Amino acid sequence: MRLPRPRGDLSAQLIDALASGTPETPALAAGGIGDPSTDDVQLALWILYEQHYRGFEDVDPSLEWSPDLLRLRRTLETPFEAWICDLTATTVKEATEEGDDVVAQLEHLTRDQSGALARHLHREATAEQYRDFLVQRSIYHLKESDPHAWALPRLDGPAKVALAELQYDEYGDGVSARLHSRLFADALEGAGLDPSYGAYVDRASAPTLVANNAMSLFGLHRRLRGAAMGHLAAFEMTSSLPCRRYVQGAERLGLDERVVRYFDEHVEADAVHEQLAARAICGSMVEAEPDLHDDVLLGAAACLVLEGLAGDRLLEEWR
Amino acid sequence: MSARRTQAVVVPGGPLLLRGADVVLDEDGEQHEVGRPVVALCACGLSQRKPWCDGTHKLAQGPES
């Protein structure tokens, strides 16, 4: 993947700095960034995080650990994390009113499975809209499960075992053709889209970048491992039923069987994963480290609220 | 490596998690190969892809429009 196109002054400066290999540009983010959820800030943050995944072919890989870029990342992350906390405060509070059991709280938070986006894709979407949906989802699904994998070395005991078991399935059960990210690439190809990693970053909406950056924020900070696992649980717990609708929508539109296969795999897989993520991962983790309880709820609420905003953006565009 | 241990876990209000199985026989005696380390078997009878759980039990418990 090559560097994306800029979306404002900050991302333009960052892209120039990365391309030229001179990250010590003093003007970067000087004087605060304002709203952390804008296209410009979110793209800059996404680029900085991507250095820790596959990176960019036109960027010197040693810049992953450039102190100037890490400082910039921190400058963007701090207000972004505060913004997420504000946005999810009501949802988190609602969960805490459901008793003390983290599994019951997660079940309460994810009880509404009615998702307007899934309903639309099931019954009404055009093939073009379905492809728009795949394009937005490609930002995550081409690195499916990678943001949660950062938590593995930061957990121990039953929670670690359960996360490894869940991820073994995400990562293909020993068969590279079954890697979930590979199944998604196949689905993109089947839909006539570009399956290459990062192909659609320029088309990713700000809410899509927000949802992805939140996963990286939680994953890359050991401090936030509870939020990373709460996010994973909420993601898995709200997947099976929508995936069934995505399957039916793809069948209704006569889309390629590779599109159907991707979502079909997730109906069954995520019915397993949601149990592992809620009980075996989050339940065990909170038992071992009770201080992480609130962060699990933060991560779960962030997943639900931010994925909801990304879906709403698509529905707005189609209106 | 030690032999794989088969384990069944009953999830309250949810499916039966089966770990380490090779094959599942459904109510008609049909064989279903197990392709993943853990599978979730429908325990509520409502799944549309039995013997596997597809999450439908949640619709019986919570709101869905």
Side-chain angles (χ1 to χ4, degrees):
Chain A
M1 172 180 40
R2 299 181 71 80
L3 283 164
R5 285 201 292 272
R7 299 190 190 187
D9 288 346
L10 176 66
S11 54
Q13 287 175 49
L14 174 62
I15 288 165
D16 285 348
L18 286 166
S20 64
T22 51
E24 62 279 1
T25 313
L28 284 173
I33 58 160
D35 178 358
S37 67
T38 62
D39 271 279
D40 192 30
V41 172
Q42 288 298 318
L43 180 64
L45 192 52
W46 187 87
I47 291 169
L48 290 166
Y49 283 145
E50 185 53 34
Q51 296 220 101
H52 303 288
Y53 294 96
R54 317 278 178 88
F56 304 94
E57 37 193 285
D58 44 350
V59 174
D60 174 359
S62 70
L63 293 183
E64 180 183 354
W65 299 107
S66 152
D68 293 286
L69 294 177
L70 293 173
R71 187 176 303 113
L72 173 63
R73 195 182 103 189
R74 200 74 199 114
T75 305
L76 307 185
E77 279 179 321
T78 304
F80 180 48
E81 186 180 335
W83 180 85
I84 293 173
C85 288
D86 283 351
L87 198 66
T88 56
T90 317
T91 311
V92 169
K93 185 166 179 291
E94 189 197 318
T96 58
E97 286 161 2
E98 282 299 306
D100 298 329
D101 176 45
V102 72
V103 175
Q105 289 170 333
L106 288 168
E107 283 172 348
H108 178 77
L109 282 180
T110 57
R111 73 199 177 285
D112 181 6
Q113 301 271 336
S114 59
L117 178 68
R119 275 206 312 275
H120 182 80
L121 288 164
H122 179 189
R123 305 258 186 220
E124 292 165 49
T126 64
E128 199 47 45
Q129 291 174 345
Y130 205 109
R131 278 191 283 274
D132 289 345
F133 163 69
L134 294 176
V135 161
Q136 295 301 317
R137 287 298 184 96
S138 72
I139 310 302
Y140 171 64
H141 289 302
L142 290 174
K143 59 158 81 86
E144 188 163 329
S145 216
D146 290 347
H148 300 112
W150 302 115
L152 203 51
R154 295 157 183 177
L155 299 177
D156 200 4
K160 188 188 195 84
V161 171
L163 177 58
E165 187 174 55
L166 185 156
Q167 292 213 298
Y168 182 70
D169 200 33
E170 292 282 350
Y171 291 140
D173 297 316
V175 181
S176 67
R178 287 186 57 184
L179 262 172
H180 282 187
S181 54
R182 166 75 184 276
L183 294 179
F184 194 81
D186 292 344
L188 287 172
E189 203 167 23
L193 294 164
D194 186 344
S196 49
Y197 186 88
Y200 293 111
V201 176
D202 286 332
R203 282 181 59 185
S205 69
T208 290
L209 293 175
V210 163
N212 278 270
N213 286 336
M215 282 188 250
S216 296
L217 169 72
F218 297 154
L220 286 166
H221 290 264
R222 179 170 54 85
R223 169 178 65 86
L224 293 170
R225 61 196 178 283
M229 295 299 94
H231 184 286
L232 173 65
F235 200 97
E236 301 286 3
M237 294 169 86
T238 52
S239 177
S240 278
L241 294 171
C243 280
R244 205 165 74 191
R245 289 188 184 272
Y246 302 151
V247 166
Q248 290 165 331
E251 286 171 344
R252 173 180 60 80
L253 290 163
L255 299 182
D256 189 274
E257 56 90 17
R258 286 169 287 183
V259 178
V260 174
R261 181 170 177 233
Y262 174 82
F263 292 111
D264 192 65
E265 158 71 11
H266 284 73
V267 175
E268 271 167 42
D270 294 349
V272 180
H273 295 176
E274 69 173 292
Q275 303 300 340
L276 296 178
R279 293 163 190 279
I281 299 175
C282 290
S284 307
M285 184 180 70
V286 167
E287 202 179 321
E289 299 185 90
D291 290 351
L292 298 182
H293 194 142
D294 290 350
D295 284 346
V296 170
L297 301 180
L298 167 68
C303 174
L304 300 169
V305 172
L306 301 179
E307 294 294 333
L309 291 176
D312 288 349
R313 172 60 64 88
L314 272 174
L315 290 168
E316 280 161 29
E317 283 173 7
W318 295 333
R319 208 163 276 146
Chain B
M1 204 167 111
S2 62
R4 199 165 62 157
R5 189 158 165 258
T6 304
Q7 185 188 45
V9 181
V10 177
V11 177
L16 180 77
L17 292 183
L18 193 57
R19 181 175 278 111
D22 292 318
V23 65
V24 170
L25 298 181
D26 68 18
E27 53 204 18
D28 301 320
E30 195 183 330
Q31 297 203 4
H32 300 265
E33 295 293 321
V34 173
R36 53 183 96 250
V38 198
V39 287
L41 296 183
C42 174
C44 70
L46 298 173
S47 173
Q48 291 175 19
R49 52 180 74 204
K50 279 187 252 180
W52 317 120
C53 169
D54 67 354
T56 305
H57 59 272
K58 287 184 285 186
L59 299 184
Q61 296 160 359
E64 152 98 336
S65 53

